[in-house]
Amino acid sequence: MTQTTATPPPAGTRRLLTRMPVLPLLTIAFLTRVTMAALPITLLLTLAHTYGYARAGAVNGGYTLVLAFLAPLRARILDRWGTGRALVLMGATTMTLMTLVAISAAARWPWWTTLLLTIGAGSTTPPLNAALRASWRRLTTGPDQLKAVHSADSILEEAGFVLAPLAAGAAIALLGPTRAYEATVACYLLVVTAYLTAAHHYNLTRQPTTNTDALHDPGRRRRKATLGPLAQPRILAIMLPLFVMGTVFGGTGVLLPAYAQAHHATAWIGPLLAATSTGGVIGGLLYATTPWHQPLWQKYRLLTLGFALPACFLVLAHPLWLLALLLLLCGLFVTPLFIGAFLLLDATATDDIRIEANTWVGSSTDIANGIIAIIIGTLTAHQNFNTALLLLSCCATAGVLIALTSPRHDHPPAHAVPHPLPPLAGPATDHTPSPS
């Protein structure tokens, strides 16, 4: 494996981030993520205003879980067929269904119709972010540039999670819940159209390379046909820390507002919810610019330990200031962990599973997020805050054990294809005939 070190970016790397096609792709990805993060917020308040919080929560939860569980399946379609037609078809279907969701909420259709339309939109959402991240290696010429692009991508994503609630809140205050959701859907249609255009222009879904190692091993071929990237132990090792991270995200996202309200400190809700993302932006900038000369797998284990260790003390964080401080400390390692995960996938995953492997980074976090949110929500409904904090500390302790006991993976597998492809200076020209 070519080791990636955290050296300060040279002038050529800085120019890479500000030239075509990296800059427009980063910009479109950032706007799309902000819009997609604002959609559930405005949808929740819109449906709560019409149907009540119980049904609004069911719609929002169904959308999140379907989005997380089916993302790898949609990415597998792109990996198997490698054509932009599937991406366009998914995008067009999702935009149509999102438009119908907005109409159903405004017209006050029966709530179950909104639920079905929302789940349908979640099940067809194109894996644009995964396709983009799987293509960064074609836009770079070395490990330093690859790390710089992944770092910028992850930092912007974390910044989007800070901006999205602020934008959604401002839209709701100015327009009201229903009009704010309609405006967010309109923005979504625009940015996804731009994203699909860029994906076609720069050919983010090339025809995949056949993995000959799997072809000569029938057992491995069957496992990959069923499990995809999860059939590889190395990729499972990448996902485990992200699953732990998702438990902390999901638990605190439900616990913090209820905990602050129970202590009559509503003003603390915003700072508590923003603490992890704020730490993520700071940590991502530090990771991208601070020299750190160690093997990538070893850095990934240390980052896992750095994230999980402060969360182990959440059970003791009864003062709100201490809770915010621990979450900020955890957040310092969030973006570096994501950057490390994407770099490890670039060096580990083969081209026939590359897009699907990238979707599992988000899906592993979101699945754990949804599961623990249900459990923590039940505990907070009965005011069992101490038990909820203890559960989150136990999840973090599992992350510490994963970091301390995970085997070393300093050497690449024999079937990995980690070398970068030639850079794209402009639109891709893929002359491979279409499967059709």
Side-chain angles (χ1 to χ4, degrees), residues 364-406:
S364 58
T365 305
D366 290 341
I367 290 170
N369 186 319
I371 293 172
I372 201 69
I374 295 172
I375 299 172
I376 297 295
T378 303
L379 292 173
T380 55
H382 295 86
Q383 302 289 306
N384 292 329
F385 298 118
N386 291 336
T387 305
L389 289 170
L390 176 61
L391 177 59
L392 294 179
S393 294
C394 291
C395 293
T397 303
V400 172
L401 294 176
I402 290 171
L404 295 177
T405 61
S406 60

Side-chain angles (χ1 to χ4, degrees), residues 103 143 215 250 357 374:
I103 294 173
L215 291 177
I374 295 172

Side-chain angles (χ1 to χ4, degrees), residues 10-35:
T13 300
R14 289 193 295 269
R15 286 196 300 270
L16 172 72
L17 298 177
T18 56
R19 68 174 173 85
M20 301 290 286
V22 175
L23 181 60
L25 288 174
L26 284 175
T27 303
I28 294 172
F30 173 73
L31 295 175
T32 303
R33 290 160 182 165
V34 171
T35 305

Side-chain angles (χ1 to χ4, degrees), residues 44 55-67 115 118-119 370 374:
L44 177 68
R55 291 174 175 175
V59 173
N60 239 27
Y63 172 76
T64 302
L65 290 176
V66 167
L67 196 65
L115 172 63
T118 304
I119 290 177
I374 295 172

Side-chain angles (χ1 to χ4, degrees), residues 61-62 64 87 111 131 141 187 195 207-208 241 276 316 335 352 356 373 401:
T64 302
L87 201 63
W111 78 275
T141 56
C187 292
Y195 214 152
Q207 184 70 18
T276 305
L316 305 176
T335 303
D352 58 328
E356 183 181 354
L401 294 176

Side-chain angles (χ1 to χ4, degrees), residues 76-426:
R76 185 175 297 187
I77 294 174
L78 299 184
D79 281 325
R80 295 276 177 90
W81 284 277
T83 175
R85 295 176 184 174
L87 201 63
V88 173
L89 180 60
M90 292 177 191
T93 305
T94 302
M95 289 189 287
T96 301
L97 290 172
M98 292 299 294
T99 302
L100 291 175
V101 171
I103 294 173
S104 71
R108 300 195 175 191
W109 292 358
W111 78 275
W112 57 268
T113 59
T114 305
L115 172 63
L116 294 177
L117 290 170
T118 304
I119 290 177
S123 63
T124 59
T125 301
L128 289 166
N129 291 328
L132 176 61
R133 282 179 167 131
S135 300
W136 282 136
R137 60 198 296 270
R138 298 208 307 270
L139 305 173
T140 58
T141 56
D144 289 333
Q145 288 192 353
L146 182 62
K147 180 194 170 183
V149 174
H150 272 302
S151 298
D153 196 3
S154 296
I155 291 169
L156 287 173
E157 182 173 24
E158 200 64 34
F161 286 121
V162 177
L163 179 61
L166 300 176
I172 291 169
L174 293 174
L175 304 175
T178 303
R179 292 290 178 264
Y181 179 67
E182 292 172 350
T184 308
V185 170
C187 292
Y188 177 80
L189 300 181
L190 289 174
V191 295
V192 170
T193 300
Y195 214 152
L196 290 171
T197 302
H200 174 73
H201 191 60
Y202 296 108
N203 202 4
L204 299 186
T205 54
R206 288 176 179 266
Q207 184 70 18
T209 303
T210 303
N211 186 4
T212 56
D213 182 66
L215 291 177
H216 295 299
D217 187 343
R220 175 175 291 170
R221 186 170 66 246
R222 286 193 297 269
R223 290 193 299 272
K224 290 188 71 173
T226 304
L227 299 176
L230 299 185
Q232 297 184 19
R234 288 170 178 265
I235 294 181
L236 279 175
I238 297 172
M239 299 306 149
L240 283 176
L242 303 177
F243 193 87
V244 173
M245 186 191 297
T247 61
V248 177
F249 284 167
T252 54
V254 175
L255 174 65
L256 295 178
Y259 192 66
Q261 287 180 338
H263 287 76
H264 307 288
T266 307
W268 274 89
I269 294 178
L272 286 171
L273 291 174
T276 305
S277 294
T278 302
V281 174
I282 297 172
L285 291 172
L286 291 175
Y287 181 75
T289 57
T290 303
W292 189 6
H293 303 282
Q294 283 186 337
L296 192 54
W297 273 105
Q298 186 174 347
K299 286 194 285 188
Y300 195 63
R301 295 171 64 190
L302 292 174
L303 290 171
T304 302
L305 185 63
F307 171 82
L309 195 57
C312 292
F313 298 96
L314 287 175
V315 67
L316 305 176
H318 298 292
L320 294 177
W321 66 267
L322 180 57
L323 188 57
L325 177 61
L326 290 176
L327 293 174
L328 179 66
L329 293 175
C330 291
L332 291 174
F333 299 91
V334 168
T335 303
L337 261 176
F338 279 124
I339 296 171
F342 290 123
L343 290 173
L344 285 172
L345 285 175
D346 272 321
T348 303
T350 51
D351 285 340
D352 58 328
I353 58 170
R354 190 171 300 279
I355 298 178
E356 183 181 354
N358 275 273
T359 61
W360 274 109
V361 173
S363 291
S364 58
T365 305
D366 290 341
I367 290 170
N369 186 319
I371 293 172
I372 201 69
I374 295 172
I375 299 172
I376 297 295
T378 303
L379 292 173
T380 55
H382 295 86
Q383 302 289 306
N384 292 329
F385 298 118
N386 291 336
T387 305
L389 289 170
L390 176 61
L391 177 59
L392 294 179
S393 294
C394 291
C395 293
T397 303
V400 172
L401 294 176
I402 290 171
L404 295 177
T405 61
S406 60
R408 294 182 177 274
H409 298 279
D410 294 333
H411 302 287
H415 60 274
V417 187
H419 57 82
L421 298 176
L424 298 176

